[in-house]
Amino acid sequence: MDYNLTDDGYYGEFGGAYIPEILYANVEALRQSYLKIIDDPAFKAEFSALLRDYVGRPSPLYFAKRLSERYATRIYLKREDLNHTGSHKINNAIGQILLARRMGKTRIIAETGAGQHGVATATVCALMNMRCIVYMGETDIARQQLNVQKMKMLGVEVRPVSSGNKTLKDACNEAIRDWCCNPSDTHYIIGSTVGPHPYPDMVTRFQSVISAELKQQLAEHTGRDYPDYLVACVGGGSNAAGTFYHYLNDERVKLIGAEAAGLGIDTDQTAATIHRGKRGIIHGSHTLVMQTDDGQIIEPYSISAGLDYPGIGPLHANLAETGRATYMAVTDDEALRAATELTRLEAIIPALESAHALGILRRKAFDPSDVVVITVSGRGDKDMETFINNTATV
Ligand SMILES: *Cc1c(COP(=O)(O)O)cnc(C)c1O
């Protein structure tokens, strides 16, 4: 299913591949081979075996009884938090490392903000014995020491980035610069549904295992292979894209994305790109971008490090524009409260990113008969310090 994706990578007016000349051959080789590789039966077998035996898939679909009682509807949680390394990011990292190997690449680079994608990439590189360099802003290195130490223990070189605000977008720029210098032996593992075509579609396909499993699991749980609502948080958009994918053309299913409002969409401290962004180009993709009137990128803010990207995957920009999906902006406080609530009611400590998806429960009323699936994209271990410093009341 290609939800309106054109051959040159456009979802409606969003997407494409705006790249420097020197990367053209690389991106073009990827574009010409990714579908053939992904559809190859041997690739599929290797990918699913690793997802099963190494990641621990299928991730459970859990009926959240007490949460359902509180909100008077039927809430199911898709438990990506139970994956190896603690989030959905490993699904994509495994897909891309297998693809890189088939394309004859010997060196991997990646960017990371909070460090979750860095750890997932470091993990698959160690597993496959591939050389790996992760670019990370100095500000993020200081904030995310545990993930930096994990990457180092896994044998990765973490290269500090000191340009700009020393955060995620600067790390992306450095990774792109590296790729320009080493186009022949290097594959760039992008961590979300962002970047030039074919990355948004490729990452979506690797993450689509989430909705493929949902079809089967919902049929077992509810006797119907589709829900009334799918809810997921949106940073670059990969866990949401994977959650929505097999239902994109099924209008019976309503799609809700939760983006990070930070302190509020009317403040300067926000990461709500769909609410606040304007059309522009970021990291090779024409999409919505948080920018000033003269096109300078605005540093986004969210309490959750995984959601503060100043762009948004082109699929989501299109889903928002066409109205196929609804995007709600959830504040720091709402997310903190939702995290505490899930912990008290279901004894699951979610990642702060995922807590934004849970935060929509207080905003939107569902019918008692509705089946609402919320993807818990990751676990909250990495956010304990933030939880400790910000006590929320349920
Ligand atoms: C990185 C991350 C996100 C945001 O990324 P998407 O590509 O939008 O899914 C969400 N949740 C967790 C746990 C993450 O680590």
Side-chain angles (χ1 to χ4, degrees), residues 80-81 85-89 114-117 191-194 203 207 232-241 258 304-308 312 316 350-355 375-380 382-383:
E80 294 300 300
D81 58 311
T85 70
S87 81
H88 66 292
K89 291 216 170 67
Q116 293 299 105
H117 173 57
S192 188
T193 43
V194 301
V203 176
Q207 294 292 359
C233 67
V234 183
S238 70
N239 86 89
S304 143
L307 298 183
D308 62 1
I312 178 75
H316 294 288
L352 261 169
E353 292 85 358
S354 323
T375 295
V376 181
S377 54
R379 66 178 84 124
K382 67 184 178 58
D383 298 314

Side-chain angles (χ1 to χ4, degrees), residues 250-267:
D250 185 344
E251 299 281 343
R252 294 170 301 185
V253 182
K254 290 162 214 101
L255 311 175
I256 302 177
E259 59 175 0
L263 300 186
I265 53 169
D266 300 325
T267 71

Side-chain angles (χ1 to χ4, degrees), residues 3 248 251 253-256 315-327:
Y3 189 76
L248 283 171
E251 299 281 343
V253 182
K254 290 162 214 101
L255 311 175
I256 302 177
L315 167 67
H316 294 288
N318 180 243
L319 292 176
E321 192 180 70
T322 59
R324 174 67 189 99
T326 306
Y327 293 84

